[in-house]
Amino acid sequence: MMLVGGVLTSVIVAGGVLTAGRGLSIDPAVSSHARAALVRLAELTVTDGRPSRSDYRRAAFGAAWTDAATVLGGGNGCDTRNDVLARDLTDLRRSMVDSCPNAVAGGEFRSPYTGDFIVFRRDRRAGDVQIDHIVPLAYAWDMGAWSWPVTMRTNLANDPANLVAVDAASNLTKSDQAPAQWLPPNRGFHCQYVTQFVMVMAGYRLTVDRPSHDVMAAVLRSCAAVE
């Protein structure tokens, strides 16, 4: 199946300007990505609501943060969590762990979900920084991933286009909610968040519930209008 690949890589890079604060400050490139996401959103199959399934299991998406995926970063000798920390944090300090010979031992960043500045240390409250699946795995399961082979589910769970380092509180609050129920408190990150959500959904050919479709369309229209 064709995945989002380079499209989302460029969105991630361009979207970096959105993580620096709480205000709405949109790079012109983000407007272009939002327009592209509107096109992809229109291609998604829409359901009236989110199906109610009771058979979701995290294990169905493979071992957590496995390096054994065929997405960007897979098979590089380092677990997915460390790959994302290395991408999203600055002022990095490194150490060796079993899952990564060049793991992130420390760093700092602003959580894109809140704009709050966070210092990360592996040896002290490492759980304060978590890696969020932008498209939650439980939501993906309900919207079609239940029928996939485990290799494709493993790819989604470890695809850097669907991952972002965030503060733990926001990740826990979001849980497995779709955009109709939850968007980041930092409005300045809405354009990138929704763009990535749509591109991942489209790349993996997931369906979308009507309320979330409409919320994301409104966000993207607003983002695309900013020049």
Side-chain angles (χ1 to χ4, degrees):
M1 177 174 287
M2 180 65 68
L3 305 184
V4 285
V7 174
L8 257 293
T9 299
S10 61
V11 172
I12 291 168
V13 173
V17 296
L18 300 180
T19 67
R22 300 172 187 273
L24 184 60
S25 178
I26 304 175
D27 185 278
V30 175
S31 297
S32 175
H33 290 308
R35 288 191 289 272
L38 273 170
V39 173
R40 300 307 303 275
L41 179 62
E43 297 170 355
L44 295 180
T45 298
V46 182
T47 62
D48 289 339
R50 177 176 177 174
S52 179
R53 299 187 61 93
S54 60
D55 54 352
Y56 166 73
R57 296 176 297 110
R58 173 60 180 84
F61 288 82
W65 310 132
T66 179
D67 190 38
T70 57
V71 292
L72 184 66
N76 66 358
C78 192
D79 63 276
T80 303
R81 174 176 167 81
N82 273 290
D83 286 342
V84 177
L85 290 174
R87 183 195 69 190
D88 291 356
L89 275 58
T90 60
D91 193 21
L92 298 178
R93 294 174 294 285
R94 303 282 192 162
S95 67
M96 179 181 293
V97 298
D98 291 343
S99 61
C100 183
N102 197 28
V104 176
E108 58 189 38
F109 79 124
R110 288 191 180 276
S111 172
Y113 286 178
T114 64
D116 293 339
F117 181 78
I118 299 175
V119 175
F120 169 76
R121 284 185 56 177
R122 181 179 295 276
D123 62 349
R124 184 180 300 174
R125 298 175 61 88
D128 287 353
V129 177
Q130 298 185 6
I131 308 301
D132 182 44
H133 292 96
I134 292 177
V135 176
L137 299 185
Y139 179 73
W141 179 269
D142 292 344
M143 307 312 289
W146 62 270
S147 67
W148 296 353
V150 68
T151 52
M152 187 178 297
R153 292 196 292 261
T154 299
N155 280 346
L156 176 64
N158 293 277
D159 193 330
N162 192 36
L163 299 172
V164 62
V166 299
D167 62 291
S170 292
N171 193 31
L172 293 172
T173 299
K174 174 187 172 181
S175 186
D176 68 345
Q177 296 182 94
Q181 290 77 45
W182 190 91
L183 288 172
N186 178 17
R187 291 179 57 83
F189 194 65
H190 283 190
C191 294
Q192 182 174 336
Y193 180 83
V194 171
T195 294
Q196 288 188 233
F197 202 105
V198 168
M199 290 300 198
V200 170
M201 295 283 286
Y204 284 87
R205 300 181 186 176
L206 291 161
T207 60
V208 62
D209 65 283
R210 172 60 67 183
S212 292
H213 172 281
D214 293 349
V215 165
M216 292 193 292
V219 170
L220 291 172
R221 283 193 293 268
S222 176
C223 299
V226 178
E227 298 289 353

